[in-house]
């Protein structure tokens, strides 16, 4: 499959706009009508997603038809339509089972095959949280359903779950259909040369080309290590896992040298119109000067990467301006440039706009 086509040079602000390209507009009559997906029908229940009209119509069909529509409810809150799980679907395991059955059936029926068809299916469960900015306390898929099979009363389970941020889990590929917040990790493996004062004067990054067989963004340029956070795995543990699987970087190297340096968050509307609010936890791994760099050098392992290149930051920027990087990876590189002083208010006219938009909240208070 073909990769990206180089574009004419873009500004950093335009690169940011490519990924952070959606704003919720409830007052524009021309805007697509979005329906809030709440955990339960109570108006005070957490909003967990934003549903586009095709998904709303399909869920209404599920409710009205012969399929398992009893799992869903539609309410009117102050003239605003809201969809939620039915009141009896009141545990995380029950909600996870509903979503598993629904998404697998849509896949098998050929609905939205460009998103959840067999070629796009990931077979990986993502956690959904009551508060997308709250703690990550999701169990693994095995723990979720094993617990559900052994616990006692539903009320006891519900009481326990009300104290957790975790709400349920669902297929990774389907998250965009439901407009839920998802999470990932990105790590930059780099070398940096200091000047006579010890300040960085030049930088080189290890940049992979994604495999042509990837379900998403094949042959685009990416960050040294990147991946989603599946249910039951923390951010750093996901990084350790992805570092070995994608880049052959040993666990001991990551645990000793990787540094957590923050996060970026953005609201992405896909070319097909689906909504993907995402949070990426960001890490740096600087190859220490004066040591054998061999153990730090990433190498393809699981087939998700075609090759790695060690590129000067100037070349990275040139390729980024040409639109060759996966959009959210470009945001992580912009964040790197700001943190390391390569982008400043003196040399970038859109500096404050970029800094602010790298840490968005998805207009969550309006959901």
């Amino acid at each position: 499959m073909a990769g990206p086509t180089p574009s004419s040079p873009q500004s950093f602000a335009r690169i940011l706009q490519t990924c952070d390209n959606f704003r919720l507009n409830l007052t524009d009559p021309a805007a697509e009508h979005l329906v809030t997906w709440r955990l339960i029908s109570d108006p005070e229940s957490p909003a967990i997603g934003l549903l586009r009209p095709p998904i709303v119509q399909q869920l209404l069909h599920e409710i009205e038809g012969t399929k398992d529509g009893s799992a869903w409810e539609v309410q009117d809150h102050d003239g605003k339509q809201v969809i939620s799980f039915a009141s009896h679907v009141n545990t995380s395991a029950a909600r996870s089972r509903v979503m598993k059955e629904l998404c697998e059936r849509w896949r098998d029926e050929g609905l939205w095959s460009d998103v959840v068809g067999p070629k796009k299916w990931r077979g990986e469960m993502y956690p959904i949280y009551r508060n997308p900015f709250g703690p990550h306390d999701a169990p693994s898929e095995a723990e979720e359903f094993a617990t559900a099979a052994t616990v006692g009363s539903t009320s006891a389970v519900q009481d326990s779950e009300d104290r957790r941020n975790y709400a349920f889990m669902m297929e990774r590929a389907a998250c965009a259909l439901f407009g839920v917040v998802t999470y990932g990790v990105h790590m930059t493996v780099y070398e940096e040369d200091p000047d006579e004062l010890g300040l960085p004067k030049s930088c080189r990054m290890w940049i992979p080309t994604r495999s042509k067989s990837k379900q998403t963004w094949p042959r685009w340029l990416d960050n040294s290590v990147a991946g989603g956070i599946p249910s039951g795995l923390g951010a750093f543990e996901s990084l350790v896992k992805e570092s070995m699987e994608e880049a052959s970087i040993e666990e001991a190297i990551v645990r000793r040298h990787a540094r957590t340096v923050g996060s970026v968050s953005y609201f992405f509307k896909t070319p097909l119109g689906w909504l993907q609010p995402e949070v990426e936890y960001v890490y740096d791994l600087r190859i220490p000067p004066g040591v054998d760099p061999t153990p730090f050098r990433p190498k393809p392992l699981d087939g998700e990467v075609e090759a790695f290149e060690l590129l000067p930051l100037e070349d990275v920027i040139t390729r980024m301006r040409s639109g060759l990087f996966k959009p959210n990876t470009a945001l992580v590189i912009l964040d790197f440039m700001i943190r390391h002083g390569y982008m400043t208010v003196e040399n970038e006219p859109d500096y404050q706009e970029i800094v602010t938009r790298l840490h968005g909240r998805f207009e969550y208070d309006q959901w």
Side-chain angles (χ1 to χ4, degrees):
M1 186 178 294
T5 301
S7 68
S8 57
Q10 305 173 45
S11 69
F12 291 142
R14 183 67 187 86
I15 291 168
L16 175 60
Q17 174 63 26
T18 299
C19 188
D20 185 43
N21 62 358
F22 178 79
R23 289 293 178 270
L24 186 60
N25 191 336
L26 300 178
T27 60
D28 184 359
E32 184 176 55
H33 178 65
L34 301 174
V35 170
T36 302
W37 182 20
R38 293 192 180 277
L39 200 57
I40 60 176
S41 60
D42 187 330
E44 300 302 315
S45 173
I48 53 178
L50 291 172
L51 307 177
R52 297 181 62 215
I55 301 300
V56 173
Q57 290 305 311
Q58 180 62 30
L59 291 176
L60 293 176
H61 176 69
E62 303 260 340
I63 293 170
E64 297 167 358
T66 58
K67 298 172 182 175
D68 188 19
S70 62
W72 303 93
E73 290 182 1
V74 180
Q75 300 287 334
D76 186 289
H77 294 166
D78 298 325
K80 181 181 178 181
Q81 190 180 45
V82 171
I83 291 180
S84 67
F85 290 106
S87 58
H88 64 86
V89 185
N90 55 9
T91 66
S92 65
R95 292 186 286 263
S96 298
R97 281 196 298 269
V98 166
M99 294 306 297
K100 186 175 188 295
E101 184 279 331
L102 182 78
C103 295
E104 290 178 354
R105 177 158 48 79
W106 286 4
R107 175 198 64 194
D108 296 342
E109 292 176 352
L111 296 176
W112 299 291
S113 60
D114 49 0
V115 182
V116 292
K119 292 183 178 180
K120 298 292 186 179
W121 195 260
R122 307 300 287 268
E124 186 176 356
M125 300 298 271
Y126 264 16
I128 308 302
Y129 294 106
R130 299 165 187 263
N131 175 4
F133 306 106
H136 290 207
D137 54 5
S140 68
E141 182 178 2
E143 291 169 335
E144 172 82 299
F145 294 111
T147 301
T150 58
V151 296
S153 68
T154 300
S155 60
V157 175
Q158 193 172 359
D159 289 343
S160 173
E161 291 189 350
D162 284 344
R163 295 189 291 272
R164 290 198 305 181
N165 192 34
Y166 168 69
F168 61 95
M169 62 181 69
M170 61 181 290
E171 158 64 28
R172 175 178 181 173
C175 288
L177 297 180
F178 291 85
V180 296
V181 179
T182 59
Y183 307 85
V185 292
H186 276 246
M187 182 169 72
T188 302
V189 180
Y190 68 103
E191 301 175 356
E192 207 166 41
D193 299 323
D195 61 17
E196 62 277 4
L197 298 177
L199 300 175
K201 67 176 182 179
S202 64
C203 176
R204 295 169 297 281
M205 293 181 177
W206 281 100
I207 301 296
T209 299
R210 292 165 66 88
S211 169
K212 63 182 178 181
S213 62
K214 288 283 288 183
Q215 293 110 321
T216 57
W217 309 102
R219 288 188 167 170
W220 290 65
L221 301 181
D222 209 340
N223 213 265
S224 308
V225 174
I229 302 177
S231 195
L233 207 60
F236 191 77
E237 294 306 314
S238 296
L239 180 72
V240 170
K241 169 178 169 289
E242 294 289 346
S243 294
M244 172 51 71
E245 291 180 353
E246 287 190 356
S248 307
I249 302 177
E250 296 285 347
E251 176 178 342
I253 294 290
V254 179
R255 292 194 182 279
R256 181 175 180 181
H257 295 280
R259 298 290 180 264
T260 179
V261 291
S263 66
V264 300
S265 49
Y266 49 88
F267 210 145
F268 180 53
K269 184 176 183 178
T270 75
L272 297 173
W274 303 109
L275 303 181
Q276 291 186 315
E278 296 182 319
V279 175
E280 303 291 346
Y281 296 102
V282 181
Y283 299 82
D284 284 352
L285 195 160
R286 181 189 181 192
I287 300 177
V291 304
D292 179 6
T294 302
F296 296 85
R297 290 174 179 163
K299 298 179 290 292
L301 181 63
D302 63 1
E304 294 194 4
V305 171
E306 290 189 359
F308 286 90
E309 296 179 88
L310 183 62
L311 298 177
L313 181 59
E314 294 78 8
D315 288 0
V316 172
I317 292 172
T318 297
R319 299 187 190 194
M320 184 168 62
R321 287 189 183 277
S322 298
L324 300 181
F325 275 87
K326 184 169 172 273
N328 65 349
T329 297
L331 267 61
V332 174
I333 294 173
L334 293 177
D335 176 71
F336 179 95
M337 292 168 61
I338 292 166
R339 290 186 291 100
H340 289 259
Y342 295 108
M343 183 193 301
T344 68
V345 68
E346 286 79 18
N347 65 20
E348 173 51 51
D350 297 311
Y351 179 84
Q352 192 56 44
E353 174 77 7
I354 293 169
V355 170
T356 302
R357 287 182 59 180
L358 284 173
H359 306 93
R361 286 185 54 85
F362 324 126
E363 296 85 42
Y364 181 69
D365 58 331
Q366 301 182 52
W367 287 23

